Amino acid sequence: MTDDTDRPTADGRAGETETVGDLVEKIRALDDDGERSQGVLLDQLAEVENRLLAFGRALGGDPDTVADLPFTEEAGTDRMPEPLYVRHDTEMLNQVTGWLLQEQHIGLVSHYGTGKTAFREIVRRDLGEHDDFVVAVLDNPRETTPRKLYATIQTTAEAAGYEVEDRDYWQTRDGVPWATEDAKEAARELVEDVRADGKTLLLVVDEIEVLPAEILSTLQVAGDMGVRLFLMGTPEGKERVADLRGTLDSRLRYYEGIEPFGPEDIAEYIARSFAYFRDEPYEDQGVELFTEAAIRDVHERSEGIPREVRIECRELFTRAAFVWYRTGQEIDRIQITPELRHRRFGMGR
């Protein structure tokens, strides 16, 4: 690959290495705002975007924005390809599946960036399509209240075809009883109806480490009325639950520590990412662009933490796009090696 040491970098200054991941995030911000303005930086951002999209198309994809490129997925979005995460940890999947079948209250504890949020979306989507489950997900745990928690249970059950009579409650808002005690009773009634049909109402709660103390008490009440709890968070979250609500903690079956990616998992993640990018099924395709040395380097730098793996891969992919454009090489001659992260590059050809 060509070393552009004597060329100006993307910010116009010679001899300094540009972090292209930062440029991508700036482009995303512009895309979100729907704005395009004139100016040195904005013109440069538009140029970078064009080169990245051209690289993606040369690889066989059809991206409209940089958010469509490989390694840009975000957990919790409609387009997040869940198979890129957690399937490598078969022990965790087997254990959690067993507990779900046994209708246990579950706690999934792992550090930030290890795939909890991705797994939350897998639970939401996969079990949400299963006839035996009604899945409620508590969003915005920092800002929730007991009434909002009961409202989440009620609205989810109603979406699955279960209803309560508004006239049974003296005041409602958006179909949910206004008083917290009434909201609790409405939720209890619906949970009983769900269970009478032989189904499980599963309440998924992420970030237990930030839950207000009163919500932990409300979760225990929900569990007592028949809701199955699936709580996720960090080890600090588990300690907090134990300290503030030991009776709730004692009812949870904990799985601790989602396994990080090994080099072979990173290789599969990369291959799946390119298959997803092209809207193709994954059928054990080989790894593209990334050499074995680059995969080992990504593993070493990221320590196998999925979020960090994605960031490292995105950075190298973006640098490869600049090398492809700058050198004019055929796409099949471009390879990502560990040395690529130390290259300096410019936009001129």
Side-chain angles (χ1 to χ4, degrees):
M1 296 182 185
T2 301
D3 189 339
D4 299 322
T5 304
D6 297 328
R7 300 280 184 178
T9 56
D11 64 359
R13 295 177 295 178
E16 295 189 18
T17 302
E18 178 70 25
T19 303
V20 292
D22 293 340
L23 284 176
V24 173
E25 293 302 332
K26 292 174 183 176
I27 294 169
R28 275 182 162 180
L30 289 176
D31 286 340
D32 291 342
D33 292 338
E35 298 177 357
R36 280 289 187 269
S37 303
Q38 297 298 318
V40 175
L41 178 59
L42 298 183
D43 288 346
Q44 187 69 32
L45 288 172
E47 184 72 3
V48 170
E49 179 180 34
N50 289 337
R51 301 312 169 199
L52 291 173
L53 295 179
F55 186 56
R57 293 176 186 125
L59 289 167
D62 186 26
D64 291 325
T65 71
V66 292
D68 298 324
L69 294 170
F71 317 119
T72 59
E73 71 278 352
E74 294 287 351
T77 63
D78 291 339
R79 297 182 61 259
M80 189 204 73
E82 308 97 327
L84 299 183
Y85 299 100
V86 303
R87 68 165 55 240
H88 68 289
D89 194 341
T90 54
E91 181 178 350
M92 183 271 290
L93 292 174
N94 289 338
Q95 185 64 81
V96 168
T97 300
W99 288 336
L100 285 169
L101 292 173
Q102 297 164 15
E103 295 194 16
Q104 301 282 343
H105 298 302
I106 301 171
L108 178 61
V109 175
S110 195
H111 291 285
Y112 290 115
T114 53
K116 293 189 303 298
T117 302
F119 192 57
R120 180 195 70 197
E121 295 307 301
I122 292 172
V123 171
R124 184 205 297 259
R125 297 178 191 183
D126 287 3
L127 295 186
E129 297 174 357
H130 196 290
D131 290 340
D132 292 339
F133 290 90
V134 175
V135 181
V137 178
L138 185 66
D139 294 316
N140 301 320
R142 292 177 183 271
E143 301 175 4
T144 198
T145 63
R147 179 183 176 275
K148 287 182 180 179
L149 191 151
Y150 294 130
T152 297
I153 294 172
Q154 178 179 334
T155 56
T156 301
E158 289 180 343
Y162 299 89
E163 296 183 0
V164 294
E165 293 290 341
D166 289 350
R167 63 174 177 268
D168 292 342
Y169 305 96
W170 74 277
Q171 186 177 8
T172 64
R173 181 176 179 181
D174 297 327
V176 177
W178 181 249
T180 298
E181 192 64 26
D182 285 350
K184 179 175 71 173
E185 290 308 310
R188 185 189 304 277
E189 177 183 333
L190 289 166
V191 172
E192 290 175 354
D193 290 345
V194 171
R195 293 185 66 82
D197 281 348
K199 298 184 179 183
T200 297
L201 199 156
L202 185 71
L203 177 61
V204 182
V205 183
D206 199 359
E207 297 183 315
I208 57 175
E209 61 274 8
V210 302
L211 285 178
E214 64 175 338
I215 299 303
L216 295 176
S217 175
T218 306
L219 285 172
Q220 183 169 324
V221 172
D224 290 342
M225 68 173 62
V227 174
R228 297 299 94 182
L229 305 176
F230 196 145
L231 309 186
M232 300 180 179
T234 63
E236 292 76 16
K238 178 187 176 183
E239 293 178 5
R240 187 165 183 272
V241 172
D243 290 342
L244 297 179
R245 203 72 190 178
T247 51
L248 173 61
D249 178 74
S250 65
R251 300 180 188 186
L252 294 165
R253 301 297 299 274
Y254 282 104
Y255 188 93
E256 301 189 44
I258 298 175
E259 189 73 17
F261 283 167
E264 67 283 357
D265 302 314
I266 294 174
E268 181 177 334
Y269 165 72
I270 293 169
R272 285 182 177 275
S273 293
F274 281 113
Y276 176 78
F277 170 59
R278 297 192 184 101
D279 198 24
E280 298 172 349
Y282 174 69
E283 297 174 342
D284 294 325
Q285 290 94 328
V287 179
E288 300 177 48
L289 288 181
F290 288 74
T291 64
E292 290 186 11
I295 291 171
R296 290 194 299 270
D297 183 62
V298 168
H299 179 255
E300 180 178 345
R301 290 174 178 273
S302 67
E303 297 182 339
I305 297 173
R307 180 183 297 164
E308 299 302 318
V309 169
R310 176 177 63 83
I311 292 171
E312 291 289 335
C313 288
R314 184 182 65 187
E315 179 73 13
L316 290 171
F317 175 89
T318 310
R319 288 182 171 274
F322 276 77
V323 170
W324 171 76
Y325 171 72
R326 177 65 183 83
T327 63
Q329 295 185 48
E330 296 294 329
I331 193 68
D332 58 5
R333 294 190 60 193
I334 300 297
Q335 284 190 318
I336 291 176
T337 66
E339 292 73 26
L340 182 60
R341 71 174 65 253
H342 305 300
R343 299 274 183 169
R344 295 168 181 166
F345 53 82
M347 286 303 299
R349 182 176 279 181

